[in-house]
Amino acid sequence: MLKFSKKADYALLALQYIASAQGGGALPPRVVNTKEIAEEHFMPVELLAKVLQTLARHQIIESHHNGPKGGYVLGREPKDITIAQVLEAIEGPLGITDCYHEKEESSCDQMDRCNIRTPLLKIQESIYTLLNGMSIEDMLRDESPLIIVESLKPQGVHS
Amino acid sequence: MLKFSKKADYALLALQYIASAQGGGALPPRVVNTKEIAEEHFMPVELLAKVLQTLARHQIIESHHNGPKGGYVLGREPKDITIAQVLEAIEGPLGITDCYHEKEESSCDQMDRCNIRTPLLKIQESIYTLLNGMSIEDMLRDESPLIIVESLKPQGVHS
DNA sequence: CTAGTCAAGAGTAATTTAGTCGGAGATAGA
DNA sequence: TCTATCTCCGACTAAATTACTCTTGACTAG
Ligand code: SF4
Ligand code: SF4
């Protein structure tokens, strides 16, 4: 189906939390640790730990002083962390179909003669754009961002 | 992850096939059976059978003369069958998160205090619109439809 | 030195998806 | 009438993915 995994959900939740924890632009960002986030959101600590580690590996967050008082901090500005990036960090390259990009490594046998592929790739691309259009910063606002999806048929008036 | 299931893929493939089999507007539409489609696309007959049955139950296709020479025909015009409809028929109501619509029956414990929910619902809605914007007819064209996704931030200049 | 923390990988359990089987009903054509 | 071919349905098994756990190690503030 078309659903986020729990890990993805956890990741976004955690990022939102970390981001909000380190306020607007206050220079000394607060360092927040795994346990804190996990307890706040009732998620299994061990699992969240893995998720955060993955995010750290992708430089989306950074770990600070690796001992007591240690924890994580955003790796870049909230507005520069898009949902698409988070998802890809957690679940690898996201593809609606088995035949992701133009490259070979996809599994489907037919590919070339598949009449359905091109349209689906379009959709995939659109979804990606969509996901890349919302950032952590957007999620911080009470009023969530306005996303307009416009779908034009080929014969569309749009020239 | 964010991927179509095989069944969904099969469904779309089959629909594309059925649609193309019954030509443009020729009134006596050709009846095509499960086996034919399955062999054409190297998919397990039994499984495709189930998929088609499901589609039939949702009136997306219709079964004709239930014996030899029997098979399926589109239930309505290709342009009136959207990808979203097909997906929902196959996999039930599609939701990016565990907390689909405003209703209760979602599983997540937090919900109300979740800071991440509203934005995600927006995204979900956008994806739905997107998926609802492409029809089987669109997939029939060699040149697939043009889909434009425009993502505007709240403070966007666009007024 | 030690308690608290991140890092990494292997291992297990739960859930979902994919695919199979067997039996029932319908009907076109011989 | 009989039979081969097809849809229909539900239960079943198998495979794959996802969710979660455990263990071990390394680092460091106090
Ligand atoms: S069937 Fe067509 S679309 Fe589905 S995976 Fe194979 S190639 Fe891509
Ligand atoms: S966490 Fe927030 S977003 Fe994710 S499911 Fe629960 S409520 Fe919906």
Side-chain angles (χ1 to χ4, degrees):
Chain A
M1 216 208 288
L2 228 37
K3 200 159 84 186
F4 283 14
S5 67
K6 283 239 169 78
K7 285 202 286 189
D9 213 30
Y10 291 165
L12 291 173
L13 233 19
L15 283 172
Q16 192 277 336
Y17 185 83
I18 298 178
S20 83
Q22 58 189 65
L27 279 199
R30 194 180 138 230
V31 176
V32 34
N33 67 22
T34 307
K35 204 168 139 210
E36 178 182 340
I37 306 178
E39 285 175 352
E40 189 71 24
H41 295 290
F42 310 102
M43 38 177 87
V45 200
E46 313 284 358
L47 185 49
L48 176 64
K50 299 221 82 117
V51 169
L52 292 182
Q53 283 165 28
T54 309
L55 289 180
R57 227 178 294 127
H58 285 79
Q59 280 103 42
I60 290 175
I61 55 181
E62 281 175 5
S63 70
H64 273 195
H65 6 87
N66 215 13
K69 273 291 174 189
Y72 296 99
V73 155
L74 289 190
R76 39 187 134 109
E77 299 205 9
K79 70 170 180 195
D80 291 330
I81 305 177
T82 73
I83 298 195
Q85 287 165 3
V86 176
L87 256 49
E88 287 202 310
I90 299 289
E91 334 224 33
L94 44 83
I96 254 47
T97 67
D98 285 340
C99 50
Y100 308 75
H101 32 7
E102 313 295 332
K103 309 286 281 181
E104 288 288 326
E105 46 175 322
S106 356
S107 39
C108 192
D109 2 353
Q110 7 215 154
M111 286 281 274
D112 348 276
R113 41 187 156 149
C114 176
N115 308 92
I116 225 183
R117 186 159 179 253
T118 321
L120 287 191
L121 283 181
K122 287 269 181 191
I123 290 187
Q124 173 169 322
E125 198 178 315
S126 300
I127 290 185
Y128 188 87
T129 306
L130 190 69
L131 257 26
N132 219 25
M134 188 183 286
S135 68
I136 297 296
E137 182 181 59
D138 296 328
M139 295 201 313
L140 283 177
R141 315 177 188 288
D142 274 38
E143 277 310 311
S144 63
L146 170 67
I147 296 191
I148 298 180
V149 179
E150 209 178 325
S151 164
L152 305 177
K153 302 302 166 53
Q155 72 279 28
V157 208
H158 241 277
S159 96
Chain B
M1 216 208 286
L2 227 38
K3 200 159 85 185
F4 282 15
S5 67
K6 283 239 168 77
K7 285 201 286 188
D9 214 30
Y10 291 165
L12 291 173
L13 233 19
L15 283 172
Q16 192 278 336
Y17 184 83
I18 297 178
S20 84
Q22 57 189 64
L27 277 199
R30 195 179 137 230
V31 175
V32 33
N33 67 22
T34 308
K35 203 169 139 209
E36 179 182 339
I37 306 179
E39 285 175 352
E40 189 72 24
H41 294 291
F42 309 102
M43 38 177 86
V45 200
E46 314 283 358
L47 185 50
L48 177 64
K50 296 209 87 101
V51 170
L52 292 181
Q53 283 163 29
T54 309
L55 290 181
R57 226 177 295 126
H58 285 79
Q59 281 105 39
I60 290 175
I61 56 180
E62 281 175 5
S63 69
H64 274 194
H65 6 86
N66 214 12
K69 271 292 174 189
Y72 296 99
V73 155
L74 289 190
R76 40 187 134 109
E77 298 205 11
K79 71 171 179 194
D80 291 331
I81 305 177
T82 74
I83 298 194
Q85 287 165 3
V86 176
L87 255 50
E88 287 203 309
I90 299 289
E91 334 225 34
L94 44 83
I96 254 45
T97 68
D98 284 340
C99 49
Y100 309 74
H101 32 7
E102 314 295 331
K103 308 286 281 181
E104 288 288 326
E105 45 175 322
S106 356
S107 38
C108 193
D109 3 351
Q110 8 214 154
M111 287 281 273
D112 348 276
R113 42 188 155 150
C114 175
N115 308 93
I116 224 185
R117 185 158 180 252
T118 321
L120 287 191
L121 284 182
K122 288 270 180 189
I123 289 188
Q124 172 169 323
E125 198 179 315
S126 300
I127 291 185
Y128 189 87
T129 307
L130 190 69
L131 257 26
N132 219 24
M134 188 183 286
S135 68
I136 297 296
E137 182 180 59
D138 296 328
M139 296 201 313
L140 283 177
R141 313 178 192 290
D142 274 39
E143 277 310 311
S144 63
L146 170 66
I147 296 192
I148 297 180
V149 179
E150 209 177 324
S151 165
L152 306 177
K153 303 299 167 53
Q155 73 280 31
V157 207
H158 244 276
S159 96

mmCIF file of all heavy atoms in Angstrom, chain B residues 9-46:
data_model
loop_
_atom_site.group_PDB
_atom_site.id
_atom_site.type_symbol
_atom_site.label_atom_id
_atom_site.label_comp_id
_atom_site.label_asym_id
_atom_site.label_seq_id
_atom_site.Cartn_x
_atom_site.Cartn_y
_atom_site.Cartn_z
ATOM 1 N N ASP B 9 -0.198 -3.085 -9.069
ATOM 2 C CA ASP B 9 0.488 -3.033 -10.351
ATOM 3 C C ASP B 9 -0.264 -3.904 -11.360
ATOM 4 O O ASP B 9 -0.545 -3.472 -12.480
ATOM 5 C CB ASP B 9 1.922 -3.534 -10.180
ATOM 6 C CG ASP B 9 2.900 -2.809 -11.110
ATOM 7 O OD1 ASP B 9 2.649 -1.632 -11.435
ATOM 8 O OD2 ASP B 9 3.899 -3.426 -11.506
ATOM 9 N N TYR B 10 -0.577 -5.111 -10.939
ATOM 10 C CA TYR B 10 -1.311 -6.028 -11.802
ATOM 11 C C TYR B 10 -2.625 -5.406 -12.253
ATOM 12 O O TYR B 10 -2.997 -5.483 -13.420
ATOM 13 C CB TYR B 10 -1.592 -7.342 -11.062
ATOM 14 C CG TYR B 10 -0.376 -8.182 -10.781
ATOM 15 C CD1 TYR B 10 -0.423 -9.229 -9.858
ATOM 16 C CD2 TYR B 10 0.835 -7.937 -11.436
ATOM 17 C CE1 TYR B 10 0.686 -10.009 -9.604
ATOM 18 C CE2 TYR B 10 1.950 -8.714 -11.160
ATOM 19 C CZ TYR B 10 1.870 -9.751 -10.246
ATOM 20 O OH TYR B 10 2.975 -10.522 -9.976
ATOM 21 N N ALA B 11 -3.304 -4.818 -11.303
ATOM 22 C CA ALA B 11 -4.607 -4.227 -11.603
ATOM 23 C C ALA B 11 -4.487 -3.168 -12.690
ATOM 24 O O ALA B 11 -5.219 -3.192 -13.680
ATOM 25 C CB ALA B 11 -5.199 -3.625 -10.338
ATOM 26 N N LEU B 12 -3.539 -2.284 -12.517
ATOM 27 C CA LEU B 12 -3.375 -1.214 -13.492
ATOM 28 C C LEU B 12 -2.987 -1.776 -14.853
ATOM 29 O O LEU B 12 -3.525 -1.383 -15.889
ATOM 30 C CB LEU B 12 -2.315 -0.226 -13.007
ATOM 31 C CG LEU B 12 -2.723 0.596 -11.786
ATOM 32 C CD1 LEU B 12 -1.563 1.423 -11.268
ATOM 33 C CD2 LEU B 12 -3.891 1.492 -12.149
ATOM 34 N N LEU B 13 -2.080 -2.714 -14.812
ATOM 35 C CA LEU B 13 -1.632 -3.346 -16.050
ATOM 36 C C LEU B 13 -2.825 -3.976 -16.758
ATOM 37 O O LEU B 13 -3.034 -3.789 -17.975
ATOM 38 C CB LEU B 13 -0.618 -4.434 -15.686
ATOM 39 C CG LEU B 13 0.769 -4.486 -16.341
ATOM 40 C CD1 LEU B 13 1.176 -3.182 -16.979
ATOM 41 C CD2 LEU B 13 1.789 -4.924 -15.314
ATOM 42 N N ALA B 14 -3.606 -4.711 -15.999
ATOM 43 C CA ALA B 14 -4.764 -5.393 -16.579
ATOM 44 C C ALA B 14 -5.755 -4.391 -17.143
ATOM 45 O O ALA B 14 -6.247 -4.558 -18.262
ATOM 46 C CB ALA B 14 -5.436 -6.252 -15.511
ATOM 47 N N LEU B 15 -6.014 -3.360 -16.399
ATOM 48 C CA LEU B 15 -6.972 -2.361 -16.861
ATOM 49 C C LEU B 15 -6.492 -1.714 -18.144
ATOM 50 O O LEU B 15 -7.255 -1.522 -19.084
ATOM 51 C CB LEU B 15 -7.178 -1.291 -15.778
ATOM 52 C CG LEU B 15 -8.072 -1.733 -14.626
ATOM 53 C CD1 LEU B 15 -8.069 -0.706 -13.515
ATOM 54 C CD2 LEU B 15 -9.486 -1.965 -15.135
ATOM 55 N N GLN B 16 -5.214 -1.411 -18.160
ATOM 56 C CA GLN B 16 -4.651 -0.817 -19.365
ATOM 57 C C GLN B 16 -4.881 -1.753 -20.536
ATOM 58 O O GLN B 16 -5.285 -1.342 -21.615
ATOM 59 C CB GLN B 16 -3.151 -0.574 -19.133
ATOM 60 C CG GLN B 16 -2.462 0.282 -20.163
ATOM 61 C CD GLN B 16 -2.063 -0.510 -21.408
ATOM 62 O OE1 GLN B 16 -1.889 -1.716 -21.353
ATOM 63 N NE2 GLN B 16 -1.951 0.179 -22.538
ATOM 64 N N TYR B 17 -4.660 -3.039 -20.292
ATOM 65 C CA TYR B 17 -4.801 -4.037 -21.340
ATOM 66 C C TYR B 17 -6.249 -4.140 -21.815
ATOM 67 O O TYR B 17 -6.537 -4.081 -23.008
ATOM 68 C CB TYR B 17 -4.318 -5.396 -20.843
ATOM 69 C CG TYR B 17 -4.327 -6.468 -21.894
ATOM 70 C CD1 TYR B 17 -3.268 -6.597 -22.785
ATOM 71 C CD2 TYR B 17 -5.408 -7.333 -22.007
ATOM 72 C CE1 TYR B 17 -3.272 -7.576 -23.756
ATOM 73 C CE2 TYR B 17 -5.419 -8.322 -22.985
ATOM 74 C CZ TYR B 17 -4.358 -8.440 -23.849
ATOM 75 O OH TYR B 17 -4.370 -9.397 -24.822
ATOM 76 N N ILE B 18 -7.140 -4.279 -20.862
ATOM 77 C CA ILE B 18 -8.554 -4.376 -21.215
ATOM 78 C C ILE B 18 -8.995 -3.145 -21.993
ATOM 79 O O ILE B 18 -9.653 -3.247 -23.029
ATOM 80 C CB ILE B 18 -9.422 -4.516 -19.947
ATOM 81 C CG1 ILE B 18 -9.079 -5.806 -19.208
ATOM 82 C CG2 ILE B 18 -10.892 -4.503 -20.312
ATOM 83 C CD1 ILE B 18 -9.845 -6.001 -17.923
ATOM 84 N N ALA B 19 -8.606 -2.004 -21.490
ATOM 85 C CA ALA B 19 -8.995 -0.757 -22.142
ATOM 86 C C ALA B 19 -8.503 -0.716 -23.578
ATOM 87 O O ALA B 19 -9.258 -0.412 -24.500
ATOM 88 C CB ALA B 19 -8.445 0.426 -21.359
ATOM 89 N N SER B 20 -7.245 -1.057 -23.750
ATOM 90 C CA SER B 20 -6.691 -0.984 -25.106
ATOM 91 C C SER B 20 -7.295 -2.057 -25.992
ATOM 92 O O SER B 20 -7.389 -1.909 -27.195
ATOM 93 C CB SER B 20 -5.171 -1.113 -25.070
ATOM 94 O OG SER B 20 -4.798 -2.470 -25.024
ATOM 95 N N ALA B 21 -7.745 -3.158 -25.367
ATOM 96 C CA ALA B 21 -8.329 -4.243 -26.145
ATOM 97 C C ALA B 21 -9.689 -3.859 -26.711
ATOM 98 O O ALA B 21 -10.097 -4.360 -27.748
ATOM 99 C CB ALA B 21 -8.458 -5.495 -25.277
ATOM 100 N N GLN B 22 -10.374 -2.979 -26.014
ATOM 101 C CA GLN B 22 -11.687 -2.647 -26.539
ATOM 102 C C GLN B 22 -11.711 -1.334 -27.292
ATOM 103 O O GLN B 22 -12.691 -0.614 -27.303
ATOM 104 C CB GLN B 22 -12.751 -2.665 -25.437
ATOM 105 C CG GLN B 22 -12.494 -1.766 -24.263
ATOM 106 C CD GLN B 22 -13.508 -2.060 -23.162
ATOM 107 O OE1 GLN B 22 -13.538 -3.144 -22.611
ATOM 108 N NE2 GLN B 22 -14.353 -1.102 -22.863
ATOM 109 N N GLY B 23 -10.616 -1.108 -27.937
ATOM 110 C CA GLY B 23 -10.495 -0.012 -28.895
ATOM 111 C C GLY B 23 -11.008 1.336 -28.443
ATOM 112 O O GLY B 23 -11.252 1.563 -27.264
ATOM 113 N N GLY B 24 -11.132 2.230 -29.412
ATOM 114 C CA GLY B 24 -11.544 3.586 -29.075
ATOM 115 C C GLY B 24 -12.982 3.646 -28.613
ATOM 116 O O GLY B 24 -13.254 3.630 -27.423
ATOM 117 N N GLY B 25 -13.906 3.686 -29.542
ATOM 118 C CA GLY B 25 -15.289 3.785 -29.137
ATOM 119 C C GLY B 25 -16.152 2.730 -29.811
ATOM 120 O O GLY B 25 -17.369 2.815 -29.799
ATOM 121 N N ALA B 26 -15.503 1.731 -30.399
ATOM 122 C CA ALA B 26 -16.245 0.650 -31.044
ATOM 123 C C ALA B 26 -17.257 0.089 -30.058
ATOM 124 O O ALA B 26 -16.896 -0.357 -28.981
ATOM 125 C CB ALA B 26 -15.295 -0.439 -31.515
ATOM 126 N N LEU B 27 -18.494 0.100 -30.445
ATOM 127 C CA LEU B 27 -19.543 -0.248 -29.493
ATOM 128 C C LEU B 27 -19.484 -1.660 -28.937
ATOM 129 O O LEU B 27 -19.676 -1.831 -27.739
ATOM 130 C CB LEU B 27 -20.918 0.030 -30.113
ATOM 131 C CG LEU B 27 -21.326 1.496 -29.984
ATOM 132 C CD1 LEU B 27 -22.823 1.663 -30.153
ATOM 133 C CD2 LEU B 27 -20.885 2.052 -28.628
ATOM 134 N N PRO B 28 -19.267 -2.689 -29.752
ATOM 135 C CA PRO B 28 -19.218 -4.024 -29.158
ATOM 136 C C PRO B 28 -17.834 -4.276 -28.601
ATOM 137 O O PRO B 28 -16.934 -4.676 -29.337
ATOM 138 C CB PRO B 28 -19.494 -4.954 -30.344
ATOM 139 C CG PRO B 28 -19.267 -4.121 -31.584
ATOM 140 C CD PRO B 28 -18.988 -2.724 -31.194
ATOM 141 N N PRO B 29 -17.634 -4.031 -27.324
ATOM 142 C CA PRO B 29 -16.303 -4.155 -26.732
ATOM 143 C C PRO B 29 -15.871 -5.607 -26.656
ATOM 144 O O PRO B 29 -16.684 -6.484 -26.400
ATOM 145 C CB PRO B 29 -16.482 -3.573 -25.331
ATOM 146 C CG PRO B 29 -17.930 -3.721 -25.038
ATOM 147 C CD PRO B 29 -18.651 -3.728 -26.324
ATOM 148 N N ARG B 30 -14.623 -5.830 -26.905
ATOM 149 C CA ARG B 30 -14.109 -7.189 -26.857
ATOM 150 C C ARG B 30 -14.041 -7.678 -25.407
ATOM 151 O O ARG B 30 -13.601 -6.951 -24.523
ATOM 152 C CB ARG B 30 -12.703 -7.216 -27.473
ATOM 153 C CG ARG B 30 -12.255 -8.620 -27.800
ATOM 154 C CD ARG B 30 -10.873 -8.613 -28.423
ATOM 155 N NE ARG B 30 -10.090 -9.680 -27.833
ATOM 156 C CZ ARG B 30 -8.877 -9.530 -27.339
ATOM 157 N NH1 ARG B 30 -8.314 -8.344 -27.332
ATOM 158 N NH2 ARG B 30 -8.248 -10.562 -26.819
ATOM 159 N N VAL B 31 -14.478 -8.900 -25.206
ATOM 160 C CA VAL B 31 -14.426 -9.466 -23.859
ATOM 161 C C VAL B 31 -13.104 -10.205 -23.698
ATOM 162 O O VAL B 31 -12.785 -11.081 -24.487
ATOM 163 C CB VAL B 31 -15.588 -10.451 -23.632
ATOM 164 C CG1 VAL B 31 -15.445 -11.105 -22.275
ATOM 165 C CG2 VAL B 31 -16.917 -9.755 -23.761
ATOM 166 N N VAL B 32 -12.354 -9.857 -22.688
ATOM 167 C CA VAL B 32 -11.044 -10.486 -22.510
ATOM 168 C C VAL B 32 -11.005 -11.207 -21.159
ATOM 169 O O VAL B 32 -11.497 -10.705 -20.162
ATOM 170 C CB VAL B 32 -9.924 -9.432 -22.634
ATOM 171 C CG1 VAL B 32 -10.383 -8.097 -22.116
ATOM 172 C CG2 VAL B 32 -8.684 -9.864 -21.920
ATOM 173 N N ASN B 33 -10.463 -12.401 -21.170
ATOM 174 C CA ASN B 33 -10.483 -13.207 -19.949
ATOM 175 C C ASN B 33 -9.167 -13.182 -19.178
ATOM 176 O O ASN B 33 -8.137 -12.752 -19.685
ATOM 177 C CB ASN B 33 -10.894 -14.646 -20.259
ATOM 178 C CG ASN B 33 -9.856 -15.370 -21.090
ATOM 179 O OD1 ASN B 33 -8.693 -14.993 -21.112
ATOM 180 N ND2 ASN B 33 -10.276 -16.397 -21.776
ATOM 181 N N THR B 34 -9.252 -13.660 -17.966
ATOM 182 C CA THR B 34 -8.120 -13.605 -17.041
ATOM 183 C C THR B 34 -6.854 -14.227 -17.622
ATOM 184 O O THR B 34 -5.785 -13.612 -17.588
ATOM 185 C CB THR B 34 -8.464 -14.354 -15.742
ATOM 186 O OG1 THR B 34 -9.702 -13.860 -15.240
ATOM 187 C CG2 THR B 34 -7.385 -14.152 -14.719
ATOM 188 N N LYS B 35 -7.007 -15.418 -18.126
ATOM 189 C CA LYS B 35 -5.842 -16.154 -18.598
ATOM 190 C C LYS B 35 -5.066 -15.339 -19.644
ATOM 191 O O LYS B 35 -3.839 -15.257 -19.587
ATOM 192 C CB LYS B 35 -6.294 -17.484 -19.219
ATOM 193 C CG LYS B 35 -5.225 -18.560 -19.234
ATOM 194 C CD LYS B 35 -5.834 -19.920 -19.599
ATOM 195 C CE LYS B 35 -4.948 -20.706 -20.555
ATOM 196 N NZ LYS B 35 -5.728 -21.615 -21.421
ATOM 197 N N GLU B 36 -5.816 -14.763 -20.551
ATOM 198 C CA GLU B 36 -5.180 -13.984 -21.611
ATOM 199 C C GLU B 36 -4.293 -12.880 -21.035
ATOM 200 O O GLU B 36 -3.120 -12.758 -21.395
ATOM 201 C CB GLU B 36 -6.264 -13.378 -22.506
ATOM 202 C CG GLU B 36 -5.701 -12.514 -23.626
ATOM 203 C CD GLU B 36 -6.822 -11.900 -24.472
ATOM 204 O OE1 GLU B 36 -7.948 -12.439 -24.438
ATOM 205 O OE2 GLU B 36 -6.550 -10.880 -25.147
ATOM 206 N N ILE B 37 -4.863 -12.126 -20.141
ATOM 207 C CA ILE B 37 -4.107 -11.019 -19.546
ATOM 208 C C ILE B 37 -2.885 -11.540 -18.793
ATOM 209 O O ILE B 37 -1.778 -11.022 -18.943
ATOM 210 C CB ILE B 37 -4.980 -10.221 -18.561
ATOM 211 C CG1 ILE B 37 -6.258 -9.761 -19.254
ATOM 212 C CG2 ILE B 37 -4.217 -9.043 -18.016
ATOM 213 C CD1 ILE B 37 -7.190 -8.989 -18.348
ATOM 214 N N ALA B 38 -3.122 -12.569 -18.011
ATOM 215 C CA ALA B 38 -2.042 -13.103 -17.185
ATOM 216 C C ALA B 38 -0.867 -13.557 -18.043
ATOM 217 O O ALA B 38 0.286 -13.231 -17.759
ATOM 218 C CB ALA B 38 -2.561 -14.254 -16.335
ATOM 219 N N GLU B 39 -1.190 -14.295 -19.099
ATOM 220 C CA GLU B 39 -0.110 -14.800 -19.941
ATOM 221 C C GLU B 39 0.615 -13.662 -20.639
ATOM 222 O O GLU B 39 1.832 -13.677 -20.792
ATOM 223 C CB GLU B 39 -0.676 -15.792 -20.968
ATOM 224 C CG GLU B 39 -1.002 -17.138 -20.320
ATOM 225 C CD GLU B 39 -1.674 -18.100 -21.300
ATOM 226 O OE1 GLU B 39 -2.014 -17.667 -22.418
ATOM 227 O OE2 GLU B 39 -1.855 -19.278 -20.925
ATOM 228 N N GLU B 40 -0.140 -12.698 -21.025
ATOM 229 C CA GLU B 40 0.432 -11.543 -21.703
ATOM 230 C C GLU B 40 1.473 -10.849 -20.826
ATOM 231 O O GLU B 40 2.469 -10.335 -21.316
ATOM 232 C CB GLU B 40 -0.695 -10.560 -22.042
ATOM 233 C CG GLU B 40 -0.272 -9.415 -22.927
ATOM 234 C CD GLU B 40 -0.016 -9.892 -24.351
ATOM 235 O OE1 GLU B 40 -0.583 -10.947 -24.758
ATOM 236 O OE2 GLU B 40 0.753 -9.229 -25.060
ATOM 237 N N HIS B 41 1.229 -10.868 -19.534
ATOM 238 C CA HIS B 41 2.089 -10.104 -18.632
ATOM 239 C C HIS B 41 2.884 -10.967 -17.663
ATOM 240 O O HIS B 41 3.453 -10.450 -16.712
ATOM 241 C CB HIS B 41 1.247 -9.103 -17.843
ATOM 242 C CG HIS B 41 0.643 -8.031 -18.684
ATOM 243 N ND1 HIS B 41 1.388 -7.043 -19.288
ATOM 244 C CD2 HIS B 41 -0.632 -7.783 -19.044
ATOM 245 C CE1 HIS B 41 0.593 -6.241 -19.963
ATOM 246 N NE2 HIS B 41 -0.650 -6.674 -19.832
ATOM 247 N N PHE B 42 2.884 -12.261 -17.879
ATOM 248 C CA PHE B 42 3.652 -13.169 -17.014
ATOM 249 C C PHE B 42 3.298 -13.021 -15.543
ATOM 250 O O PHE B 42 4.175 -12.927 -14.704
ATOM 251 C CB PHE B 42 5.158 -12.925 -17.171
ATOM 252 C CG PHE B 42 5.608 -12.924 -18.587
ATOM 253 C CD1 PHE B 42 5.860 -11.720 -19.236
ATOM 254 C CD2 PHE B 42 5.766 -14.116 -19.293
ATOM 255 C CE1 PHE B 42 6.273 -11.709 -20.563
ATOM 256 C CE2 PHE B 42 6.171 -14.105 -20.621
ATOM 257 C CZ PHE B 42 6.428 -12.895 -21.255
ATOM 258 N N MET B 43 2.045 -12.980 -15.267
ATOM 259 C CA MET B 43 1.672 -12.904 -13.857
ATOM 260 C C MET B 43 0.882 -14.154 -13.480
ATOM 261 O O MET B 43 0.235 -14.758 -14.323
ATOM 262 C CB MET B 43 0.870 -11.638 -13.571
ATOM 263 C CG MET B 43 -0.115 -11.245 -14.658
ATOM 264 S SD MET B 43 -1.108 -9.789 -14.261
ATOM 265 C CE MET B 43 -0.055 -8.452 -14.785
ATOM 266 N N PRO B 44 0.956 -14.555 -12.198
ATOM 267 C CA PRO B 44 0.238 -15.738 -11.740
ATOM 268 C C PRO B 44 -1.261 -15.605 -11.983
ATOM 269 O O PRO B 44 -1.887 -14.675 -11.472
ATOM 270 C CB PRO B 44 0.546 -15.812 -10.247
ATOM 271 C CG PRO B 44 1.183 -14.520 -9.897
ATOM 272 C CD PRO B 44 1.765 -13.966 -11.131
ATOM 273 N N VAL B 45 -1.806 -16.530 -12.751
ATOM 274 C CA VAL B 45 -3.217 -16.449 -13.137
ATOM 275 C C VAL B 45 -4.139 -16.335 -11.929
ATOM 276 O O VAL B 45 -5.024 -15.481 -11.891
ATOM 277 C CB VAL B 45 -3.627 -17.695 -13.944
ATOM 278 C CG1 VAL B 45 -4.876 -17.396 -14.738
ATOM 279 C CG2 VAL B 45 -2.499 -18.130 -14.853
ATOM 280 N N GLU B 46 -3.905 -17.225 -10.976
ATOM 281 C CA GLU B 46 -4.780 -17.262 -9.812
ATOM 282 C C GLU B 46 -4.845 -15.904 -9.113
ATOM 283 O O GLU B 46 -5.912 -15.448 -8.714
ATOM 284 C CB GLU B 46 -4.256 -18.310 -8.815
ATOM 285 C CG GLU B 46 -3.867 -19.636 -9.435
ATOM 286 C CD GLU B 46 -5.097 -20.472 -9.752
ATOM 287 O OE1 GLU B 46 -6.204 -19.994 -9.448
ATOM 288 O OE2 GLU B 46 -4.945 -21.585 -10.290
#
